[in-house]
Each structure stands twice: as C-alpha cells, then as structure tokens.
Amino acid sequence: MELEADKKQRRENVVAGVVGAFLGTLVGVLCTVIIGQLGYVTSVSGLIMAVGALKGYELLGGTLSKKGAVISCVFILIMTYLAHRLTLAFAVASALSIGVFDSFQLVPALVSQGILEARAYWGDLAMLYLFTLLGAVPTIIGGLRASSLPDLPPAPASATLQDGSRADAAFYPGQVAWMRPLRLTAALSMLVGLVPGIGLLFYSIANGDPMAFTMAALGCILSSFVMMCFALPQVQLCYSAMALMVRSGGVVWKVTLPMLNGADTYRFSKKAVTLRTIRWEILDAEEQERAKASIQRAIALLSSGQVMPGSALSMAVQPLTDLAIDKETAWGWKGTYSVSNGRRKKVSIPKAYPNFAPVQGMEPALEPVPARWILLGLAAALALILGLIGFSFGLVL
C-alpha cells in the first residue's frame, strides 16, 4: 500500500511538465512561422500549438492534472501571440531589409500607424486562437478524464472454464519492428510520385509556359494517390502486429489490448492516455501479468457462453474459431474463421509473432519480414506513365 501511495505522489512532475509544455509550444511556433512563410493560412498551426503543449506536459510530467492544464494554457496563450507576431516580423524584415529582431519590435507600431492593416492582423490572430482552442479543449478533457481514472482493479484470480479446468493459454506478443521493412517500402511507394510531382510543379511555376510541366506534375501526384490503393492494405497489415495472439483450448484468439483495457473490470494499465498506443512491449512485468489474467478470465467467460458474441468484450478478445489459412506469403497469412450464423469472415495475420503459427503443421514466423521492393518499382512505373500522359495532354492544351 505504501508503494502504491508513493507512486501516486510521484506520478506528476510539475517541473518536467513545464519543460514539456514549453518544448511543445516551440514546435507550434516553428510550424506557425514555416506555414506563414509559405503564404498559407496559419490557423491550422494553432492545433499543433495546443496539442504540442498539453501532450508535452503530459509526456514529461507524467499526467495532465488541472494544474498542468492551467500551466499549459498560459504557455499556449503567450506563445501563440509570439508566433503570430514573429510570422509578421519575417515578412517585415524581408520587405524593409532589416533584422528579424528589429522588425519584431516594429510590428505593433506598424499596426497602430496603419502600415499593417489592423483588421487583418487582429483577425488572423483571432483565427489562430480559435483553432488553438479547438485543439486544446478535447486534449484537456481527455487528459483530465484519464488522470481521474480509478485505481486498477485487484488482480483477477486464475480463470477456470465451465468444467472446472484451468484456462491455460500461450501468449504471442507481436513484434512491430519485424514489419518495419514492409511498412517502410509501403510508405515510400506512396511518396515516389509525390517528390517528382512537386519538383515539376515548382519548375513549371519558374518558367513562363508551365502547362505541359504542370500537367506532368499532376500526373505524378495522381500516381501517389493511386498507389495508396496498393500500399494501404500493407500498412494495415503492419499495424495488425500491435494485437496480441493467444492460443487457448485449441482456439486462436486475437486480443486488442487498448479495447480490453477500456473495460473497467479488465483494466490492467493506466497507460491508456499516453502518446503511444498500448502495446505489449511497453507494459511492465506487473501490467503484463494483470493483462494475462484478464485475458484468461475473458476467454473463460466467452468459451462458457456467459458473455454473448457481439459484446464489447468479444470484440476485444476475439475468437478465430475454426481458423483456416487459404494463402501464405512472406509477410503474413490470409484465411477465414467462423462467425455467427455459419458465416465465415476473412482475416489477415502478419508474420510478426515469433514462434507462432496460426494452424498446426505450418511453419512459424522466425525472423522479420522482407521489404516489398515491387511496390517501389510499381510506384516508379506508375509515376512515369501518368507523368508522360499528363505532359502529352499539356502539350495538346
């Protein structure tokens, strides 16, 4: 009990939280200035400012209390004003050929004398504060709600099945790093057409007759959107590795840890509000044991029929009944499993679980998956073809 009390007392570090809020607002200031120099409306950077400050305090301070929210809001108000004024200072410095520090001091005088339009100045600042508020309110509500969560329930006892036997289970945590080669090549394939597209767009702007190169740029950019159709399923397969696979009673179960942790009587961690999604590797030993006990208890209840299919618990701890694998690739397995009314549902399981095989007789995953270079080749070919089509169409126009 004393150790638990000490943990509660130490869970908020105000000094570290202040540093985190300050660093978060610096990110917002940087985004405001950069977007402003590109000539776009900087209001969206207000969202970054608010979320950066509040999440920075939460990340370094341990939790977002009412005190932390007030401190973060003070930083947000001050730094939002400074970011807006600094954005104008860069424009003034460029126009008057003076230093940024000097132009920063001149901004209020230029506004009061009408050289800078007061209505636009205050209107942009009000819009920036509005978007900052839109980012701050939900972040504060979520942080305060998480900090007021009740203590974790007592560790559940070992679960038993309906016949009185113990619900033993084998746990297979997913290794997200094993899917990194596939995730990297899938992400890069969506950028292959975007990079030359932006380059051609700038080239066309710099020249007097931009039509052909503009259409070529649009063709390359379009190829990136087309590649999303091919790459997104690969990215989704990579993120599936965050689930925990469990084999119990001859059935494979897919456990979504954040969803299970959302059920009050099955909670095993207070990490639900951190910047990272709950994954097995970020849980400490005590949290992992709590999670195992909660999963075994859920499996016992679902197996005995005490919890009906379709409930929130059955979606968090999902049985892949009568799992059959139809196709195996170097990156995962594709198959089907039984659901209600005799129907079968498709499922894709990534090869991110060491020593795990979905069905008996199959080779388990032993090492990280390879990169899928064919995606990059397809993206390059698609960008070239659509770019040439756009260029030809531009010449015709």
Side-chain angles (χ1 to χ4, degrees):
M1 296 297 291
E2 292 180 358
L3 290 175
E4 186 66 25
D6 290 339
K7 286 181 181 178
K8 290 181 180 179
Q9 291 176 358
R10 293 194 304 264
R11 79 181 165 178
E12 182 178 13
N13 188 327
V14 177
V15 176
V18 169
V19 174
F22 176 69
L23 294 177
T25 54
L26 285 183
V27 175
V29 170
L30 182 63
C31 291
T32 302
V33 173
I34 291 176
I35 297 175
Q37 299 312 303
L38 294 176
Y40 296 102
V41 177
T42 60
S43 302
V44 68
S45 60
L47 293 169
I48 303 173
M49 179 80 73
V51 175
L54 293 163
K55 287 299 184 181
Y57 187 98
E58 181 183 334
L59 183 63
L60 297 187
T63 186
L64 183 63
S65 63
K66 293 181 180 178
K67 182 193 300 182
V70 171
I71 293 173
S72 299
C73 286
V74 171
F75 272 105
I76 291 170
L77 291 173
I78 296 174
M79 299 298 278
T80 299
Y81 172 76
L82 293 177
H84 180 251
R85 185 167 163 179
L86 185 61
T87 303
L88 286 177
F90 274 97
V92 172
S94 177
L96 301 181
S97 299
I98 60 176
V100 175
F101 180 76
D102 294 331
S103 61
F104 183 85
Q105 293 178 310
L106 279 176
V107 168
L110 295 176
V111 173
S112 63
Q113 295 173 12
I115 299 175
L116 291 176
E117 187 179 353
R119 180 181 297 179
Y121 175 81
W122 295 112
D124 288 346
L125 182 59
M127 188 66 68
L128 186 58
Y129 272 122
L130 175 62
F131 275 76
T132 303
L133 184 65
L134 293 176
V137 170
T139 307
I140 292 175
I141 292 174
L144 295 180
R145 183 182 298 167
S147 64
S148 62
L149 286 174
D151 291 335
L152 294 175
S158 298
T160 55
L161 298 174
Q162 195 172 22
D163 58 3
S165 61
R166 187 175 181 276
D168 290 322
F171 297 86
Y172 301 94
Q175 300 295 321
V176 179
W178 278 25
M179 305 299 293
R180 188 173 297 153
L182 176 61
R183 186 170 65 249
L184 182 61
T185 49
L188 289 177
S189 68
M190 292 186 283
L191 299 176
V192 167
L194 196 61
V195 173
I198 293 175
L200 287 171
L201 198 58
F202 277 105
Y203 180 81
S204 66
I205 293 173
N207 288 271
D209 186 15
M211 181 59 70
F213 288 102
T214 299
M215 298 305 297
L218 293 178
C220 292
I221 294 173
L222 177 62
S223 71
S224 290
F225 288 96
V226 176
M227 278 304 302
M228 288 183 183
C229 300
F230 297 95
L232 282 180
Q234 315 302 322
V235 176
Q236 291 174 346
L237 181 66
C238 295
Y239 281 106
S240 297
M242 290 189 291
L244 176 70
M245 305 302 294
V246 181
R247 193 185 301 277
S248 178
V251 178
V252 174
W253 302 73
K254 181 181 178 181
V255 181
T256 306
L257 293 173
M259 189 179 295
L260 180 64
N261 195 55
D264 287 340
T265 57
Y266 293 88
R267 288 180 59 234
F268 51 85
S269 173
K270 284 195 173 183
K271 290 187 171 69
V273 293
T274 58
L275 292 176
R276 294 183 295 176
T277 303
I278 291 182
R279 300 196 305 270
W280 187 262
E281 62 266 24
I282 71 172
L283 301 177
D284 57 37
E286 179 183 353
E287 290 171 329
Q288 289 180 357
E289 290 303 316
R290 283 179 171 272
K292 287 181 179 180
S294 294
I295 292 169
Q296 288 179 304
R297 182 159 61 96
I299 289 176
L301 292 174
L302 291 166
S303 299
S304 61
Q306 299 180 52
V307 177
M308 296 299 294
S311 63
L313 183 61
S314 66
M315 290 186 287
V317 184
Q318 185 179 13
L320 304 182
T321 309
D322 298 328
L323 179 62
I325 299 301
D326 302 323
K327 183 179 180 180
E328 179 181 3
T329 67
W331 303 276
W333 297 278
K334 294 182 179 180
T336 59
Y337 64 95
S338 297
V339 292
S340 58
N341 300 326
R343 296 181 296 109
R344 297 191 68 81
K345 190 174 181 179
K346 294 182 179 180
V347 64
S348 295
I349 303 175
K351 287 189 173 180
Y353 301 92
N355 302 315
F356 170 78
V359 296
Q360 298 294 333
M362 301 194 74
E363 290 292 329
L366 300 175
E367 59 184 4
V369 301
R372 197 160 192 176
W373 299 110
I374 190 174
L375 290 175
L376 295 178
L378 178 61
L382 193 61
L384 179 61
I385 293 172
L386 292 183
L388 288 175
I389 292 175
F391 185 80
S392 301
F393 185 66
L395 291 177
V396 173
L397 291 178

